[in-house]
Amino acid sequence: MTILASAVIAGAQNVYEYTSETIAQNGTGHPPAANTIFDDQMLLKGYTEKYRDLSLEILLAMIEDDTLTSYRSAAAVRVFKEKFSGEVVSREKIIIEKILLRRLHRTDSPFVEVEIMHTLCQMDRYHYFKSMVPALIQKLDHYNAAVNEVAFDSLNRIVESGSNRNREARIVFNTLRKTFFLSRKRLATVKEPDTKLAGKLKLLRWSIKVLGNQELKKLPTEVINLL
């Protein structure tokens, strides 16, 4: 690790430790009634709003904190993504990408994974699209509806912020095509797509619009019927 990286991380940790104590003392830390709330999206949004005014240094320290709960960690990543991901450049950007990748490899929370994958695509679209977007598409099949919702929102934002490049559309198309072939028996009985399937079909339509209608012949008949 470089001297600059060590300095950034050490400074962030010091600031975070002080601020965490201050937040706990003034009553704006972990919500007292959080253990009675089971709405994942509500918890994630609540922490996101609480962290909205935190500095870059504090957010990075929180992301690095192995003891932070998954909701708080995901919220810290989200706030960083929304406030700072488009501003960091050069050496600082490389350091932060390493911090995010380390957290991605160490977490078992799908919420943290989705937020980091989206953030990395936003920071360096060309470098991370190929690996992160297929992983996000897989999250559309997660058993937790809140994970599906966050993943679909992330994918939508990634697609809408792009320039309809063939390379990106091909990655989305090929990933969905494999998924549909694996589930074609179930698709044959579908009359009205549920939320998960509707999201996949929306992404599929976008990829076909970019690549051309000739791609339709590569899809299972069951999917063409739904389109």
Side-chain angles (χ1 to χ4, degrees):
M1 182 178 292
T2 65
I3 295 176
L4 175 60
S6 300
V8 169
I9 294 171
Q13 188 64 42
N14 290 336
V15 176
Y16 169 55
E17 289 172 355
Y18 170 78
T19 306
S20 294
E21 182 178 356
T22 303
I23 290 176
Q25 291 173 351
N26 66 20
T28 59
H30 191 86
N35 61 339
T36 65
I37 300 175
F38 297 95
D39 188 314
D40 294 310
Q41 279 281 47
M42 186 183 297
L43 279 171
L44 186 53
K45 290 178 180 178
Y47 279 121
T48 299
E49 290 307 311
K50 285 182 180 294
Y51 301 156
R52 186 73 64 188
D53 296 327
L54 296 182
S55 68
L56 172 61
E57 290 75 16
I58 294 174
L59 291 171
L60 292 179
M62 293 176 72
I63 294 169
E64 284 210 294
D65 188 351
D66 291 328
T67 67
L68 211 62
T69 66
S70 60
Y71 299 108
R72 297 176 69 182
S73 185
V77 176
R78 179 179 290 186
V79 174
F80 164 77
K81 175 185 66 182
E82 295 175 354
K83 288 183 61 179
F84 302 108
S85 63
E87 300 177 4
V88 293
V89 294
S90 190
R91 183 69 62 84
E92 183 183 36
K93 179 180 177 182
I94 295 173
I95 293 170
I96 294 174
E97 286 179 2
K98 289 181 178 179
I99 291 173
L100 290 170
L101 287 169
R102 177 182 178 276
R103 174 54 53 215
L104 179 62
H105 294 150
R106 293 174 68 92
T107 187
D108 59 359
S109 166
F111 293 103
V112 177
E113 291 173 343
V114 169
E115 292 298 334
I116 291 178
M117 289 186 284
H118 185 189
T119 302
L120 288 170
C121 282
Q122 193 161 298
M123 292 179 70
D124 190 338
R125 188 184 187 95
Y126 184 83
H127 184 74
Y128 290 108
F129 192 99
K130 185 176 181 180
S131 58
M132 298 302 166
V133 166
L136 280 170
I137 290 175
Q138 290 179 5
K139 295 298 183 187
L140 297 178
D141 285 322
H142 198 277
Y143 65 85
N144 188 318
V147 174
N148 306 151
E149 184 179 343
V150 176
F152 181 65
D153 180 66
S154 296
L155 287 164
N156 255 340
R157 290 173 183 268
I158 291 171
V159 167
E160 291 172 359
S161 64
S163 303
N164 294 334
R165 294 185 175 90
N166 277 22
R167 169 184 175 270
E168 296 179 354
R170 179 64 62 191
I171 291 170
V172 171
F173 179 85
N174 287 342
T175 303
L176 289 170
R177 179 175 177 270
K178 292 177 183 178
T179 299
F180 287 136
F181 266 110
L182 290 173
S183 58
R184 60 188 308 178
K185 288 184 178 180
R186 182 179 62 81
L187 292 174
T189 64
V190 173
K191 295 183 178 180
E192 187 69 27
D194 58 13
T195 302
K196 293 181 182 180
L197 182 55
K200 292 179 185 178
L201 292 175
K202 180 178 179 180
L203 291 168
L204 182 65
R205 292 188 188 96
W206 168 78
S207 66
I208 293 173
K209 182 178 179 180
V210 175
L211 297 172
N213 288 336
Q214 73 278 358
E215 302 299 323
L216 288 169
K217 62 184 180 182
K218 300 178 182 179
L219 295 170
T221 304
E222 296 83 356
V223 175
I224 297 176
N225 292 337
L226 291 172
L227 288 173

